[in-house]
Amino acid sequence: MPSLDLDEMRRQHPDMRGDWTVPQNWQRFTDAEHGVWRTLYRRLMDVLPGRACDEFLSGLGKLPLDDGIPDFEKLSAVLMKLTGWQVVAVPGLVPDDVFFEHLANRRFPAGNFIRAADSLDYIEEPDVFHDVFGHVPMLAHPVFADYMEAYGKGGLRAEGEGTLHNLARLYWYTVEFGLIETPKGLRIYGSGIASSSAESVYALEHASPNRIAFDLERVMRTKYRIDDFQESYFVIPGFDALFAETYKDFAALYRRLATGPTHEAGEIVPEDRVIHRGTRSYRPHSHAAAQ
Ligand code: HBI
Ligand code: FE
């Protein structure tokens, strides 16, 4: 991960504020950069109908995301009316406490850059397409919007308690890579899937990954990969259920988690309700480390 040293960031971004936000300077984006957004947008629109959940697609339809990199002021004005959230620009990854402080105040920090045209499928750090196209549609959904604020508040508490690694896994397997069971079948709501055309198909249709019913403690004990498609996806029954299960004091849960097993990313354990047992025929890059 690039350095998150505040002084160094200040040198590189002289206009950065104390909360790590920067002016978006929307007019500075070139036609080529807007073109990258439009290309990615078109590719996702080819795969997401019938794969993303209705809540994601409905959010997408309400937001001005279909004409190049959005102007955050205009986007935030629409989002603010829907759920009271805003989108703010940051140079890239920000420290955990800064990230949580923004979420706790219903501000979603989005990277102020877009991937290069010759590497549409690969980014080292979340860019504006992942952050906005992937995350903001679900922020237009009232229950999910509250879940994200609660996560920010929980993050600030977990930092003080030394349990952030557990909470970060919950974020990973829900906000970033969550699937949901619907009457029409499994659907995507996780932003890391929904902003990738290849992973959108893989997560739902490929035989390789496990698809396992969501269980809070199980997820918090499970490592994850940051370098490749996931080996397991966890499936929630609905957003109200997710919120109900996670909107409580985690103190007792964190005490349980301090002992007992940690699971590997691709593992299946006896307690799992397995929806699909992965063939694991697709092997994630073996050189890479899991978190
Ligand atoms: N910063 N900009 C940005 N975006 C993130 O998604 C992000 C971050 N900092 C920390 C972080 N995520 C995660 O480490 C936490 O969710 C645990
Ligand atoms: Fe993300």
Side-chain angles (χ1 to χ4, degrees):
M1 185 175 7
S3 163
L4 291 179
D5 180 70
L6 182 56
D7 291 333
E8 177 57 26
M9 291 298 283
R10 277 260 156 71
R11 263 192 298 279
Q12 287 176 28
H13 304 277
D15 48 4
M16 197 174 85
R17 307 174 188 109
D19 63 0
W20 290 64
T21 61
V22 293
Q24 186 194 18
N25 273 331
W26 179 79
Q27 29 346 300
R28 113 194 113 86
F29 287 111
T30 62
D31 287 347
E33 287 172 319
H34 287 297
V36 169
W37 176 288
R38 289 193 190 100
T39 302
L40 290 166
Y41 184 91
R42 266 197 308 273
R43 288 195 338 183
L44 269 311
M45 293 320 278
D46 281 343
V47 300
L48 290 182
R51 290 195 179 90
C53 65
D54 290 345
E55 291 83 352
F56 184 95
L57 294 171
S58 146
L60 200 56
K62 291 177 188 157
L63 298 164
L65 301 181
D66 60 349
D67 191 24
I69 300 167
D71 180 337
F72 289 177
E73 252 178 61
K74 291 182 186 159
L75 175 59
S76 294
V78 176
L79 190 58
M80 178 61 84
K81 282 207 189 102
L82 293 170
T83 56
W85 274 77
Q86 286 172 268
V87 179
V88 294
V90 291
L93 283 173
V94 300
D96 292 337
D97 59 329
V98 175
F99 183 63
F100 297 141
E101 188 68 35
H102 282 300
L103 297 185
N105 290 286
R106 294 174 97 90
R107 291 187 299 267
F108 194 80
N112 201 16
F113 65 96
I114 192 151
R115 67 198 70 183
D118 60 5
S119 54
L120 290 184
D121 295 310
Y122 178 75
I123 49 170
E124 249 173 62
E125 264 194 82
D127 70 344
V128 64
F129 188 79
H130 165 80
D131 283 336
V132 174
F133 183 93
H135 284 280
V136 177
M138 289 308 301
L139 290 174
H141 184 258
V143 175
F144 204 82
D146 286 350
Y147 176 69
M148 289 289 278
E149 178 191 336
Y151 176 78
K153 292 180 170 154
L156 293 170
R157 282 193 298 271
E159 275 210 307
E161 295 158 7
T163 52
L164 195 53
H165 60 292
N166 296 124
L167 193 68
R169 291 171 184 161
L170 172 64
Y171 188 84
W172 192 261
Y173 284 118
T174 60
V175 177
E176 293 289 350
F177 291 97
L179 297 180
I180 181 168
E181 192 133 46
T182 81
K184 295 183 268 188
L186 294 190
R187 291 290 185 270
I188 297 159
Y189 72 93
S191 58
I193 310 175
S195 61
S196 158
S197 45
E199 191 155 355
S200 288
V201 175
Y202 169 88
L204 282 189
E205 281 137 63
H206 205 289
S208 186
N210 301 313
R211 300 180 187 93
I212 303 167
F214 177 86
D215 177 89
L216 180 59
E217 181 168 340
R218 160 40 158 134
V219 162
M220 283 197 176
R221 287 188 187 280
T222 308
K223 298 185 200 174
Y224 56 83
R225 308 194 69 92
I226 60 168
D227 56 304
D228 213 328
F229 295 166
Q230 301 304 301
E231 293 173 74
S232 295
Y233 298 92
F234 291 91
V235 181
I236 61 168
F239 295 112
D240 291 320
L242 173 67
F243 189 76
E245 213 190 324
T246 54
Y247 196 72
K248 47 182 131 177
D249 186 1
F250 286 165
L253 175 58
Y254 286 146
R255 275 195 298 278
R256 274 204 307 282
L257 288 166
T259 59
T262 298
H263 307 305
E264 295 304 321
E267 204 178 326
I268 287 189
V269 300
E271 304 75 50
D272 284 341
R273 182 166 76 78
V274 178
I275 295 165
H276 169 79
R277 179 177 292 267
T279 58
R280 308 191 67 198
S281 45
Y282 173 90
R283 302 300 305 166
H285 302 145
S286 52
H287 60 265
Q291 287 208 343

